[in-house]
Amino acid sequence: MPTKVIAVANQKGGVGKTTTAVNLAACVAASGRQVLLLDLDPQANATSGVGLEKIEGASAYGPLLGNGSLSDKIKATPFERLDAIPSEVDLCGADVELIRAENHLQRLRLALQPILEAGKYQVALVDCPPSLAVLTLNAFAAADGLVVPLQCEYYALEGLSMLTRVINQLRDSGVNPRLHLFGVVMTMFDARTNLSKQVEGEVRQHFSDVVFETVIPRTTRLAEAPSFGKPIIHYDPYSAGAAAYEVLAGEFCRRLGI
Ligand code: ATP
Ligand code: MG
């Protein structure tokens, strides 16, 4: 079966994209699947989150601009069955430079093609930057679907209509006819507040089955893990955060059919 590509995206900053990309990738890998994590954010948080260094020239930047192959950028992580393509500060320039390049929305899709065809990975997860600029649009053009993390706070739904509009535009214009909202995941849920429950209810009403049953709790362990370069299941395997991402990974794999 060809590799499925899922982009983790939300143009809003700090909603749990990277935490979800890293921990979902790690849990899916731990459950026996081969996973590729592609860090497409110049902030490189997913890169350090899986214990990799930010090394100049190591990112997707070159291949996106037609220099070298993306396959050569794949690194093994310390975690079994989890490989990654790291990011570093180079990628900052990609948004501006790609705009001038021919076929600028399809660069990532084309660069990924040989990796997908090789069939080593069941899923490739792309951690997107907090914007709807060219890097993110490249991820959308390459993806089978999007996972959108929503923080359980008052303005969670704001901005989602913009995201939906972009999905429709990319689909209708033929940039990516199969693009769809694959899943919404509620993050940083605080069971002690009514607000979290209210927001969850509202989001479920709005998106019904697209919303994953699993809700990610707000826990400091999840926020600490990246500074040790470890996904939560390796940093604190018996924590609530680890349990949540493991259950989410189960739901994710079932929905994806892998
Ligand atoms: P950006 O838009 O900057 O890329 P992001 O959407 O990738 O941000 P994260 O980096 O995953 O968001 O999370 C933002 C901050 O919140 C980080 O410090 C992270 O450690 C913390 N965080 C994420 N999820 C949780 C959680 N469930 N509980 C507690 N802290 C969390
Ligand atoms: Mg991030």
Side-chain angles (χ1 to χ4, degrees):
M1 205 165 66
T3 308
K4 304 272 190 183
V5 180
I6 298 292
V8 182
N10 186 334
Q11 77 273 22
K12 205 166 168 189
V15 296
K17 291 181 289 295
T18 303
T19 304
T20 297
V22 163
N23 289 300
L24 198 51
C27 289
V28 172
S31 72
R33 282 93 171 173
Q34 294 284 345
V35 181
L36 178 66
L37 176 64
L38 168 54
D39 190 350
L40 213 56
D41 184 352
Q43 296 179 99
N45 296 332
T47 299
S48 43
V50 293
L52 296 181
E53 306 255 358
K54 301 169 200 173
I55 302 168
E56 211 184 311
S59 77
Y61 174 77
L64 285 175
L65 287 157
N67 305 317
S69 96
L70 193 58
S71 318
D72 292 342
K73 305 293 180 189
I74 297 176
K75 299 253 184 314
T77 72
F79 314 103
E80 218 179 334
R81 289 179 296 274
L82 178 59
D83 290 348
I85 297 175
S87 165
E88 35 86 36
V89 69
D90 261 11
L91 266 181
C92 272
D95 269 320
V96 175
E97 285 161 72
L98 278 171
I99 291 175
R100 293 192 299 248
E102 205 182 316
N103 217 359
H104 68 281
L105 293 181
Q106 302 287 1
R107 291 293 176 121
L108 181 63
R109 192 179 65 79
L110 295 172
L112 267 173
Q113 220 157 34
I115 298 174
L116 306 187
E117 280 166 8
K120 173 176 178 188
Y121 303 103
Q122 270 124 316
V123 62
L125 280 161
V126 186
D127 185 30
C128 294
S131 83
L132 287 171
V134 184
L135 274 176
T136 303
L137 295 180
N138 264 268
F140 287 14
D144 294 290
L146 306 185
V147 164
V148 176
L150 288 188
Q151 195 179 342
C152 292
E153 52 140 70
Y154 195 64
Y155 294 113
L157 283 168
E158 208 176 71
L160 264 196
S161 53
M162 209 195 304
L163 194 57
T164 315
R165 190 185 286 229
V166 170
I167 294 176
N168 291 337
Q169 270 171 355
L170 292 176
R171 210 166 35 203
D172 297 345
S173 64
V175 170
N176 183 354
R178 66 189 187 289
L179 187 64
H180 67 289
L181 187 53
F182 175 75
V184 168
V185 54
M186 304 297 303
T187 65
M188 301 185 225
F189 184 87
D190 188 343
R192 294 165 306 180
T193 69
N194 280 328
L195 180 62
S196 272
K197 282 173 222 150
Q198 256 171 33
V199 172
E200 189 197 354
E202 209 174 298
V203 171
R204 288 197 191 280
Q205 200 169 23
H206 202 269
F207 287 101
S208 57
D209 287 350
V210 176
V211 187
F212 288 108
E213 299 252 336
T214 318
V215 169
I216 308 300
R218 179 185 285 282
T219 81
T220 45
R221 302 302 265 169
L222 274 171
E224 283 165 14
S227 55
F228 296 89
K230 287 182 178 177
I232 189 73
I233 44 161
H234 301 289
Y235 173 63
D236 189 355
Y238 301 108
S239 62
Y245 273 109
E246 278 173 316
V247 179
L248 180 68
E251 247 191 277
F252 175 84
C253 290
R254 274 195 302 283
R255 200 178 279 193
L256 202 55
I258 60 168

